Amino acid sequence: MGSEEQTILVTGGAGFIGSHTVVQLLKEGFRVHIIDNLDNSVIEAVERVKELVGPQLSKKLRFHLGDLRNKDDLEKLFSQSRFDAVIHFAGLKAVGESVAYPRRYFDNNLVGTINLYEIMAKYNCKKMVFSSSATVYGQPEKIPCVEDFQLVALNPYGRTKLFLEEIARDIQKAEPDWRIILLRYFNPVGAHESGKIGEDPKGIPNNLMPYIQQVAVGRLPELNVYGHDYPTKDGTAIRDYIHVMDLADGHIAALRKLFMTDNIGCKAYNLGTGQGSSVLEMVAAFEKASGKKIPIKLCPRRPGDATVVYASTEKAEKELGWKAKYGIEEMCRDQWKWASTNPWGYQSKP
Ligand code: NAD
Ligand code: UFG
């Protein structure tokens, strides 16, 4: 499919999911501009993306240091280039931090996104792929999670995703020429198979797989397993882990759908595998992939955690023609490749 003339703006493109998606966009022939304030990422990630795609495709990538909360940064960007669509990753994502500093989350995620819609409308760029999250299902009473379930927010981070979904629906309803896809990611893990790019959280990781990874390379002594008395096969909680490259491809599928469908309106799709894995299964899979023992400590449940969450994948399969290809073995294999070759992430050992 020729995407030669299409230019995509990727907000937050230096981050974990953004950087992997940019690789796939370039490989598919799109021109890509990134805007990122490097709040939770480093420019080295963009350099690695260029290395990965090679000098020819790198010419199609431009990086802009900028903040979505700053309207001047957006004005400068949109007045200089024309974008066919925006993939909007930029935002803060740590649940615990959002409880402690809700204003930070409302400012960054809500104000940043509202500014983005304003500038897109001004420059008549009305195609948007937005990073939502399975967090909008809260603690689902039924599984798998289906897109038309009632949505809830359990913390300020989740509230920003829920509000931003509602804002998208309102904007599209009032101005029907918008085409918006909301992608609800389940638990993104893994890394590019080259091991050159991957997740590099600042500080102690909040999420399971980056934590396990840091135990495996010796940066942390053991994994705290939060909850071992859940009514599940081994007592630990179950999630739908999805390879970040599958997720990246899901964005390409969404983008193509937007370009092809005049009257798509504003639609939400789950991006998950439809398979649930327990915490202990993920530990075992990572041990197998890495050959390292991951010492664990059984701890009480983490407040607010759901027991079992996994996606219904039917809608994305049927309407986007997208389905996850990888299982937890490949997720752990590729994450270990990244971890073992970059034990301190993008930095050299501090
Ligand atoms: P990330 O932190 O690695 O990437 C986000 C990027 O956005 C970072 O590079 C950061 O510097 C940038 N950014 C943040 N605020 C900005 C601003 N105001 N202006 C410009 N740039 C800004 O996170 P990620 O894991 O790649 O997540 C991407 C998106 O997906 C986020 O919106 C997140 O909420 C959502 N999401 C992530 C997960 C997950 O587990 N990783 C799950 C569901 C949804
Ligand atoms: N866990 C541990 N030890 C850890 C970290 C996590 O046992 O050190 C457990 C959790 O208790 C949970 C499972 O591993 O049972 C997965 O936890 P994560 O923090 O990796 O992921 P969550 O499902 O809690 O949440 C993540 C993001 C949310 C997002 C959600 C769905 O943090 O923002 O995925 O996309 F909404």
Side-chain angles (χ1 to χ4, degrees):
M1 267 223 229
S3 325
E4 279 297 314
E5 299 90 54
Q6 283 168 330
T7 305
I8 312 301
L9 175 64
V10 180
T11 77
F16 171 43
I17 306 170
S19 56
H20 291 78
T21 304
V22 169
V23 169
Q24 297 306 79
L25 285 168
L26 291 167
K27 288 200 164 157
E28 288 291 315
F30 292 98
R31 295 181 174 278
V32 178
H33 287 233
I34 294 174
I35 180 167
D36 200 302
N37 64 2
L38 302 180
D39 177 75
N40 196 37
S41 52
V42 289
I43 195 66
E44 175 66 16
V46 180
E47 297 305 322
R48 298 275 185 100
V49 166
K50 288 185 184 163
E51 241 178 75
L52 247 175
V53 299
Q56 275 314 104
L57 291 183
S58 292
K59 287 187 197 147
K60 293 185 166 189
L61 174 62
R62 286 195 53 194
F63 176 82
H64 307 265
L65 182 64
D67 194 308
L68 301 191
R69 288 166 300 177
N70 184 346
K71 288 185 176 179
D72 292 342
D73 289 352
L74 289 173
E75 182 62 47
K76 198 169 150 210
L77 184 61
F78 276 77
S79 62
Q80 287 172 358
S81 306
R82 194 190 60 79
F83 301 114
D84 295 288
V86 175
I87 304 182
H88 177 33
F89 294 106
L92 303 178
K93 61 168 184 176
V95 172
E97 186 189 54
S98 81
V99 175
Y101 306 102
R103 277 189 288 110
R104 191 179 293 173
Y105 275 68
F106 297 141
D107 182 37
N108 201 88
N109 294 6
L110 298 184
V111 174
T113 305
I114 292 165
N115 287 346
L116 182 61
Y117 278 117
E118 289 300 318
I119 199 81
M120 287 173 71
K122 180 174 171 188
Y123 286 90
N124 200 29
C125 165
K126 293 191 169 179
K127 295 186 188 70
M128 165 78 122
V129 178
F130 172 68
S131 299
S132 187
S133 164
T135 193
V136 298
Y137 295 117
Q139 303 203 11
E141 276 166 28
K142 278 191 296 178
I143 36 159
C145 299
V146 180
E147 283 85 347
D148 61 7
F149 276 9
Q150 206 174 350
L151 306 180
V152 292
L154 300 178
N155 51 62
Y157 166 71
R159 221 157 344 266
T160 66
K161 292 297 176 194
L162 184 53
F163 289 171
L164 287 169
E165 283 209 3
E166 298 293 12
I167 286 170
R169 284 185 271 271
D170 285 343
I171 289 176
Q172 202 286 324
K173 203 165 161 195
E175 301 166 36
D177 52 338
W178 279 89
R179 303 183 198 183
I180 304 178
I181 288 187
L182 312 169
L183 294 177
R184 297 182 184 149
Y185 315 150
F186 281 67
N187 290 57
V189 300
H192 189 272
E193 61 179 12
S194 65
K196 282 197 184 300
I197 56 173
E199 188 168 12
D200 183 17
K202 288 187 177 157
I204 308 262
N206 299 305
N207 299 116
L208 179 67
M209 292 311 282
Y211 203 107
I212 291 180
Q213 169 185 328
Q214 293 198 9
V215 174
V217 299
R219 286 170 65 174
L220 292 167
E222 62 187 2
L223 171 74
N224 295 323
V225 172
Y226 297 130
H228 48 98
D229 57 352
Y230 284 107
T232 60
K233 47 193 160 185
D234 59 22
T236 63
I238 291 183
R239 294 290 182 276
D240 185 341
Y241 297 92
I242 173 166
H243 197 298
V244 65
M245 294 309 291
D246 272 331
L247 205 61
D249 288 339
H251 289 77
I252 311 276
L255 207 52
R256 296 214 189 283
K257 181 81 178 175
L258 282 190
F259 286 128
M260 281 180 331
T261 324
D262 289 341
N263 55 351
I264 186 158
C266 177
K267 280 214 172 151
Y269 295 95
N270 290 336
L271 293 186
T273 63
Q275 303 292 319
S277 304
S278 73
V279 174
L280 294 182
E281 282 173 336
M282 295 310 284
V283 171
F286 204 87
E287 284 183 332
K288 190 167 168 221
S290 64
K292 303 276 178 191
K293 179 84 196 136
I294 309 291
I296 61 167
K297 186 165 129 199
L298 298 178
C299 301
R301 294 180 182 192
R302 195 169 63 173
D305 271 355
T307 305
V308 182
V309 184
Y310 59 86
S312 160
T313 57
E314 232 171 81
K315 190 176 173 192
E317 270 175 47
K318 210 156 112 197
E319 296 183 19
L320 300 180
W322 169 90
K323 189 178 180 344
K325 295 194 287 278
Y326 300 116
I328 61 172
E329 218 169 278
E330 289 98 347
M331 298 176 211
C332 292
R333 176 198 67 196
D334 295 340
Q335 192 162 336
W336 176 241
K337 177 100 184 256
W338 156 248
S340 54
T341 47
N342 301 273
W344 294 88
Y346 290 111
Q347 328 281 339
S348 40
K349 188 174 174 173

